Amino acid sequence: HPRRREEDKGDGSRATPRSLYMLLHLLTVAFTAQDGPPNDCFSWCLPSLLGPTASAIPGVAPPASDEAAKRILGASAKSIGDVGEYLDCVRITNGTHEPIAAYALARFSLPLGGATASPTAGASQHYGCCVPKACGAEELERGFRVTLPSKLKSATETAAKTGAALDAIAAAIDGLPRNSSFSAAAAALRRDAATANQSHMPRAAAALSAAAQGAEQAAHADTALRAAAAAAAAQNKTAAAAALRAADELLRRGPGGGWMNALEKEREKLEAQAAALNASAAALAALSSAVSAMQFDVTVGSQRAGLGGAR
């Protein structure tokens, strides 16, 4: 074809640079391809330290939707002073068996010989974490120095909110009119739920509203049982009347058809969560204190120093 021959002349006048298009396509694929988990470097160092509460602290836990991400998180240290799992980290690969994780080691040292001493000059403590391969020491150091205080603030605020919700539910339980009607209990719980909602405690407000609804249902059941017992007694159905009165007594003195029980269980959950969040905040505070008070550096890659768990 004449035009095809003209394009193929190679003189540059009419030629279409197909090889250039091919190169651009390959470069686009190379730069947009994902060879591992999302890269939010510093956040990968925290979930193993914080345990189950990590997901409750905003901005702490990176997504762990696939097996590789879970393995990266699992290879990091579980406590300050722990070096994590070096071999487990560096052996994490993608579908083509290429490494997608890197081992990072933070060293915190009390310097011997003044502020200009090396980070490894004095007594030292380590913290090892597994991160995506693209992460570098500079970014991780910035995370420890700059991002960590915000994570600590977030953990402290979350713990305070959980503690406030716990206090609201505990006060509601302790303040219930024990010897009055279900209707009185429902009204008290509605007031407590409104107060919790105004105080920006949605979890406590939801639990108290649900308990109020349960108390209202118990009040209807109580009314129905009393009426049925009276009707049975009027018809000289002594056994039926006694059974209905016993059922009503059980309803009044028991867990209220589950509403009181549900509040107690919510309080137990909040107590456990508050304790865990306070422990997480304490761990972050200790880490932050080490960063600010001690010599500090991060290395990423092979660790040649003899460390207890980094083999």
Side-chain angles (χ1 to χ4, degrees):
H1 191 279
R3 174 167 291 184
R4 175 63 55 85
R5 284 197 299 272
E6 186 177 7
E7 289 173 349
D8 291 342
K9 283 179 181 179
D11 60 3
S13 58
R14 296 290 300 275
T16 302
R18 294 185 186 84
S19 59
L20 178 58
Y21 293 157
M22 179 77 71
L23 178 60
L24 288 173
H25 172 71
L26 291 174
L27 286 172
T28 301
V29 170
F31 280 107
T32 57
Q34 296 293 324
D35 63 351
N39 180 17
D40 178 14
C41 292
F42 179 66
S43 287
W44 290 88
C45 293
L46 297 179
S48 291
L49 174 67
L50 303 181
T53 60
S55 59
I57 302 172
V60 165
S65 55
D66 56 44
E67 191 60 31
K70 292 176 182 176
R71 289 181 64 192
I72 289 176
L73 291 174
S76 291
K78 308 298 187 293
S79 62
I80 300 171
D82 181 11
V83 295
E85 302 294 337
Y86 172 74
L87 284 180
D88 288 349
C89 177
V90 298
R91 289 173 177 171
I92 300 172
T93 59
N94 61 11
T96 58
H97 304 291
E98 296 176 354
I100 60 170
Y103 178 79
L105 185 68
R107 293 182 178 89
F108 307 95
S109 305
L110 287 172
L112 297 178
T116 59
S118 163
T120 57
S124 63
Q125 204 171 35
H126 301 89
Y127 183 73
C129 54
C130 191
V131 296
K133 191 177 179 181
C135 295
E138 184 177 345
E139 184 174 358
L140 288 169
E141 284 193 19
R142 185 169 61 251
F144 276 99
R145 295 186 190 281
V146 179
T147 310
L148 179 58
S150 69
K151 306 299 185 186
L152 171 59
K153 181 174 182 289
S154 180
T156 303
E157 289 174 351
T158 303
K161 289 177 182 177
T162 302
L166 172 61
D167 291 342
I169 289 179
I173 291 173
D174 294 340
L176 282 174
R178 301 289 178 181
N179 298 319
S180 61
S181 67
F182 284 116
S183 296
L189 287 166
R190 289 289 183 200
R191 289 193 297 271
D192 291 334
T195 301
N197 192 49
Q198 291 170 358
S199 301
H200 307 289
M201 295 185 287
R203 182 171 176 177
L208 292 166
S209 293
Q213 185 176 2
E216 288 164 355
Q217 292 170 349
H220 293 317
D222 177 47
T223 300
L225 283 169
R226 287 173 180 272
Q235 298 173 22
N236 293 320
K237 296 179 180 178
T238 308
L244 289 165
R245 283 194 297 271
D248 185 52
E249 189 68 12
L250 181 63
L251 178 67
R252 291 197 309 113
R253 295 187 180 276
W259 63 271
M260 189 69 167
N261 218 14
L263 266 185
E264 290 286 1
K265 287 182 178 178
E266 184 67 14
R267 174 160 70 172
E268 290 173 5
K269 287 181 189 175
L270 284 169
E271 284 174 345
Q273 189 176 15
L277 282 167
N278 285 328
S280 291
L284 287 174
L287 197 58
S288 183
S289 176
V291 170
S292 61
M294 305 173 78
Q295 293 277 351
F296 162 72
D297 76 335
V298 176
T299 57
V300 177
S302 298
Q303 303 298 323
R304 296 181 177 85
L307 299 174
R311 299 180 297 276

